[in-house]
PDB file of all heavy atoms in Angstrom:
ATOM      1  N   THR A  84      -4.974  10.020   4.420  1.00  0.00           N
ATOM      2  CA  THR A  84      -5.094   8.837   3.564  1.00  0.00           C
ATOM      3  C   THR A  84      -3.988   8.892   2.503  1.00  0.00           C
ATOM      4  O   THR A  84      -3.349   9.924   2.312  1.00  0.00           O
ATOM      5  CB  THR A  84      -6.451   8.779   2.840  1.00  0.00           C
ATOM      6  OG1 THR A  84      -6.466   9.793   1.839  1.00  0.00           O
ATOM      7  CG2 THR A  84      -7.609   8.981   3.804  1.00  0.00           C
ATOM      8  N   LEU A  85      -3.821   7.779   1.828  1.00  0.00           N
ATOM      9  CA  LEU A  85      -2.748   7.694   0.843  1.00  0.00           C
ATOM     10  C   LEU A  85      -2.862   8.770  -0.239  1.00  0.00           C
ATOM     11  O   LEU A  85      -1.863   9.371  -0.638  1.00  0.00           O
ATOM     12  CB  LEU A  85      -2.734   6.284   0.237  1.00  0.00           C
ATOM     13  CG  LEU A  85      -1.717   6.015  -0.854  1.00  0.00           C
ATOM     14  CD1 LEU A  85      -0.316   6.446  -0.460  1.00  0.00           C
ATOM     15  CD2 LEU A  85      -1.741   4.535  -1.209  1.00  0.00           C
ATOM     16  N   SER A  86      -4.073   9.013  -0.713  1.00  0.00           N
ATOM     17  CA  SER A  86      -4.239  10.033  -1.767  1.00  0.00           C
ATOM     18  C   SER A  86      -3.682  11.381  -1.307  1.00  0.00           C
ATOM     19  O   SER A  86      -3.016  12.094  -2.068  1.00  0.00           O
ATOM     20  CB  SER A  86      -5.714  10.180  -2.137  1.00  0.00           C
ATOM     21  OG  SER A  86      -6.252   8.937  -2.544  1.00  0.00           O
ATOM     22  N   ILE A  87      -3.940  11.729  -0.055  1.00  0.00           N
ATOM     23  CA  ILE A  87      -3.439  12.996   0.510  1.00  0.00           C
ATOM     24  C   ILE A  87      -1.906  12.979   0.566  1.00  0.00           C
ATOM     25  O   ILE A  87      -1.245  13.985   0.266  1.00  0.00           O
ATOM     26  CB  ILE A  87      -3.976  13.185   1.956  1.00  0.00           C
ATOM     27  CG1 ILE A  87      -5.495  13.139   1.988  1.00  0.00           C
ATOM     28  CG2 ILE A  87      -3.410  14.458   2.601  1.00  0.00           C
ATOM     29  CD1 ILE A  87      -6.187  14.383   1.621  1.00  0.00           C
ATOM     30  N   ASN A 112      -0.223   2.627 -12.852  1.00  0.00           N
ATOM     31  CA  ASN A 112      -0.416   3.294 -11.565  1.00  0.00           C
ATOM     32  C   ASN A 112      -1.894   3.300 -11.204  1.00  0.00           C
ATOM     33  O   ASN A 112      -2.765   3.271 -12.078  1.00  0.00           O
ATOM     34  CB  ASN A 112       0.134   4.721 -11.608  1.00  0.00           C
ATOM     35  CG  ASN A 112       0.492   5.233 -10.210  1.00  0.00           C
ATOM     36  OD1 ASN A 112       0.130   4.628  -9.202  1.00  0.00           O
ATOM     37  ND2 ASN A 112       1.189   6.339 -10.157  1.00  0.00           N
ATOM     38  N   PHE A 113      -2.161   3.392  -9.922  1.00  0.00           N
ATOM     39  CA  PHE A 113      -3.540   3.424  -9.444  1.00  0.00           C
ATOM     40  C   PHE A 113      -4.139   4.788  -9.780  1.00  0.00           C
ATOM     41  O   PHE A 113      -3.489   5.819  -9.588  1.00  0.00           O
ATOM     42  CB  PHE A 113      -3.534   3.192  -7.929  1.00  0.00           C
ATOM     43  CG  PHE A 113      -4.889   2.975  -7.343  1.00  0.00           C
ATOM     44  CD1 PHE A 113      -5.565   1.775  -7.538  1.00  0.00           C
ATOM     45  CD2 PHE A 113      -5.499   3.965  -6.586  1.00  0.00           C
ATOM     46  CE1 PHE A 113      -6.815   1.573  -6.980  1.00  0.00           C
ATOM     47  CE2 PHE A 113      -6.755   3.761  -6.028  1.00  0.00           C
ATOM     48  CZ  PHE A 113      -7.420   2.564  -6.226  1.00  0.00           C
ATOM     49  N   SER A 115      -6.065   6.927  -8.438  1.00  0.00           N
ATOM     50  CA  SER A 115      -6.076   8.036  -7.475  1.00  0.00           C
ATOM     51  C   SER A 115      -4.761   8.820  -7.513  1.00  0.00           C
ATOM     52  O   SER A 115      -4.763  10.048  -7.387  1.00  0.00           O
ATOM     53  CB  SER A 115      -6.354   7.543  -6.056  1.00  0.00           C
ATOM     54  OG  SER A 115      -6.762   8.616  -5.233  1.00  0.00           O
ATOM     55  N   ASP A 116      -3.650   8.130  -7.704  1.00  0.00           N
ATOM     56  CA  ASP A 116      -2.360   8.825  -7.775  1.00  0.00           C
ATOM     57  C   ASP A 116      -2.341   9.768  -8.982  1.00  0.00           C
ATOM     58  O   ASP A 116      -1.857  10.900  -8.898  1.00  0.00           O
ATOM     59  CB  ASP A 116      -1.206   7.814  -7.885  1.00  0.00           C
ATOM     60  CG  ASP A 116      -1.072   6.947  -6.641  1.00  0.00           C
ATOM     61  OD1 ASP A 116      -2.118   6.582  -6.053  1.00  0.00           O
ATOM     62  OD2 ASP A 116       0.052   6.618  -6.245  1.00  0.00           O
ATOM     63  N   THR A 155       4.064   3.684  -8.633  1.00  0.00           N
ATOM     64  CA  THR A 155       3.669   2.678  -7.650  1.00  0.00           C
ATOM     65  C   THR A 155       4.514   1.448  -7.941  1.00  0.00           C
ATOM     66  O   THR A 155       4.532   0.965  -9.075  1.00  0.00           O
ATOM     67  CB  THR A 155       2.158   2.393  -7.745  1.00  0.00           C
ATOM     68  OG1 THR A 155       1.459   3.604  -7.419  1.00  0.00           O
ATOM     69  CG2 THR A 155       1.747   1.310  -6.768  1.00  0.00           C
ATOM     70  N   TYR A 159      -1.143  -2.497  -9.405  1.00  0.00           N
ATOM     71  CA  TYR A 159      -2.289  -3.057  -8.673  1.00  0.00           C
ATOM     72  C   TYR A 159      -3.058  -4.083  -9.513  1.00  0.00           C
ATOM     73  O   TYR A 159      -3.727  -4.947  -8.970  1.00  0.00           O
ATOM     74  CB  TYR A 159      -3.233  -1.937  -8.201  1.00  0.00           C
ATOM     75  CG  TYR A 159      -4.082  -1.316  -9.288  1.00  0.00           C
ATOM     76  CD1 TYR A 159      -5.428  -1.632  -9.414  1.00  0.00           C
ATOM     77  CD2 TYR A 159      -3.540  -0.413 -10.190  1.00  0.00           C
ATOM     78  CE1 TYR A 159      -6.213  -1.069 -10.406  1.00  0.00           C
ATOM     79  CE2 TYR A 159      -4.307   0.148 -11.174  1.00  0.00           C
ATOM     80  CZ  TYR A 159      -5.651  -0.182 -11.285  1.00  0.00           C
ATOM     81  OH  TYR A 159      -6.412   0.374 -12.275  1.00  0.00           O
ATOM     82  N   ASP A 184       5.229   4.897  -4.468  1.00  0.00           N
ATOM     83  CA  ASP A 184       4.009   4.524  -3.766  1.00  0.00           C
ATOM     84  C   ASP A 184       4.132   3.051  -3.389  1.00  0.00           C
ATOM     85  O   ASP A 184       4.285   2.183  -4.266  1.00  0.00           O
ATOM     86  CB  ASP A 184       2.789   4.777  -4.667  1.00  0.00           C
ATOM     87  CG  ASP A 184       1.489   4.597  -3.899  1.00  0.00           C
ATOM     88  OD1 ASP A 184       1.443   3.743  -2.992  1.00  0.00           O
ATOM     89  OD2 ASP A 184       0.516   5.315  -4.218  1.00  0.00           O
ATOM     90  N   ALA A 186       1.889   1.182  -1.746  1.00  0.00           N
ATOM     91  CA  ALA A 186       0.583   0.610  -1.371  1.00  0.00           C
ATOM     92  C   ALA A 186       0.603  -0.921  -1.420  1.00  0.00           C
ATOM     93  O   ALA A 186       0.023  -1.578  -0.566  1.00  0.00           O
ATOM     94  CB  ALA A 186      -0.508   1.142  -2.290  1.00  0.00           C
ATOM     95  N   HIS A 187       1.276  -1.483  -2.434  1.00  0.00           N
ATOM     96  CA  HIS A 187       1.304  -2.947  -2.589  1.00  0.00           C
ATOM     97  C   HIS A 187       2.689  -3.514  -2.294  1.00  0.00           C
ATOM     98  O   HIS A 187       3.038  -4.605  -2.755  1.00  0.00           O
ATOM     99  CB  HIS A 187       0.842  -3.326  -3.996  1.00  0.00           C
ATOM    100  CG  HIS A 187      -0.544  -2.851  -4.287  1.00  0.00           C
ATOM    101  ND1 HIS A 187      -1.662  -3.507  -3.837  1.00  0.00           N
ATOM    102  CD2 HIS A 187      -0.995  -1.739  -4.920  1.00  0.00           C
ATOM    103  CE1 HIS A 187      -2.747  -2.834  -4.199  1.00  0.00           C
ATOM    104  NE2 HIS A 187      -2.365  -1.754  -4.859  1.00  0.00           N
ATOM    105  N   CYS A 207      -0.143   2.910   2.314  1.00  0.00           N
ATOM    106  CA  CYS A 207      -1.295   2.813   3.210  1.00  0.00           C
ATOM    107  C   CYS A 207      -1.092   1.643   4.172  1.00  0.00           C
ATOM    108  O   CYS A 207      -0.197   0.817   3.993  1.00  0.00           O
ATOM    109  CB  CYS A 207      -2.590   2.668   2.412  1.00  0.00           C
ATOM    110  SG  CYS A 207      -2.584   1.319   1.246  1.00  0.00           S
ATOM    111  N   TYR A 209      -3.914  -0.243   5.421  1.00  0.00           N
ATOM    112  CA  TYR A 209      -5.081  -1.144   5.505  1.00  0.00           C
ATOM    113  C   TYR A 209      -4.972  -2.337   4.560  1.00  0.00           C
ATOM    114  O   TYR A 209      -5.804  -3.222   4.607  1.00  0.00           O
ATOM    115  CB  TYR A 209      -6.390  -0.378   5.250  1.00  0.00           C
ATOM    116  CG  TYR A 209      -6.410   0.429   3.963  1.00  0.00           C
ATOM    117  CD1 TYR A 209      -6.652  -0.181   2.738  1.00  0.00           C
ATOM    118  CD2 TYR A 209      -6.184   1.799   3.979  1.00  0.00           C
ATOM    119  CE1 TYR A 209      -6.663   0.552   1.576  1.00  0.00           C
ATOM    120  CE2 TYR A 209      -6.191   2.547   2.821  1.00  0.00           C
ATOM    121  CZ  TYR A 209      -6.428   1.923   1.622  1.00  0.00           C
ATOM    122  OH  TYR A 209      -6.421   2.664   0.471  1.00  0.00           O
ATOM    123  N   LYS A 210      -3.952  -2.358   3.690  1.00  0.00           N
ATOM    124  CA  LYS A 210      -3.793  -3.488   2.770  1.00  0.00           C
ATOM    125  C   LYS A 210      -2.950  -4.565   3.454  1.00  0.00           C
ATOM    126  O   LYS A 210      -3.420  -5.188   4.399  1.00  0.00           O
ATOM    127  CB  LYS A 210      -3.194  -3.002   1.449  1.00  0.00           C
ATOM    128  CG  LYS A 210      -4.177  -2.083   0.698  1.00  0.00           C
ATOM    129  CD  LYS A 210      -3.621  -1.459  -0.563  1.00  0.00           C
ATOM    130  CE  LYS A 210      -4.681  -0.582  -1.235  1.00  0.00           C
ATOM    131  NZ  LYS A 210      -4.136   0.328  -2.238  1.00  0.00           N
TER     132      LYS A 210
HETATM  133  C1  PLP B   1      -5.040   1.503  -2.552  1.00  0.00           C
HETATM  134  C2  PLP B   1      -4.317   2.599  -3.261  1.00  0.00           C
HETATM  135  C3  PLP B   1      -4.689   3.948  -3.076  1.00  0.00           C
HETATM  136  C4  PLP B   1      -5.868   4.323  -2.241  1.00  0.00           C
HETATM  137  O1  PLP B   1      -5.744   5.604  -1.709  1.00  0.00           O
HETATM  138  P1  PLP B   1      -6.604   6.028  -0.441  1.00  0.00           P
HETATM  139  O2  PLP B   1      -6.427   7.482  -0.321  1.00  0.00           O
HETATM  140  O3  PLP B   1      -6.064   5.262   0.738  1.00  0.00           O
HETATM  141  O4  PLP B   1      -8.020   5.620  -0.690  1.00  0.00           O
HETATM  142  C5  PLP B   1      -3.924   4.915  -3.708  1.00  0.00           C
HETATM  143  N1  PLP B   1      -2.871   4.584  -4.496  1.00  0.00           N
HETATM  144  C6  PLP B   1      -2.509   3.303  -4.696  1.00  0.00           C
HETATM  145  C7  PLP B   1      -1.341   2.983  -5.564  1.00  0.00           C
HETATM  146  C8  PLP B   1      -3.238   2.267  -4.111  1.00  0.00           C
HETATM  147  O5  PLP B   1      -2.907   1.001  -4.342  1.00  0.00           O
END
Side-chain angles (χ1 to χ4, degrees):
T84 71
L85 178 50
S86 303
I87 303 279
N112 204 348
F113 190 74
S115 198
D116 295 37
T155 297
Y159 75 104
D184 189 327
H187 301 281
C207 54
Y209 53 80
K210 293 175 179 164

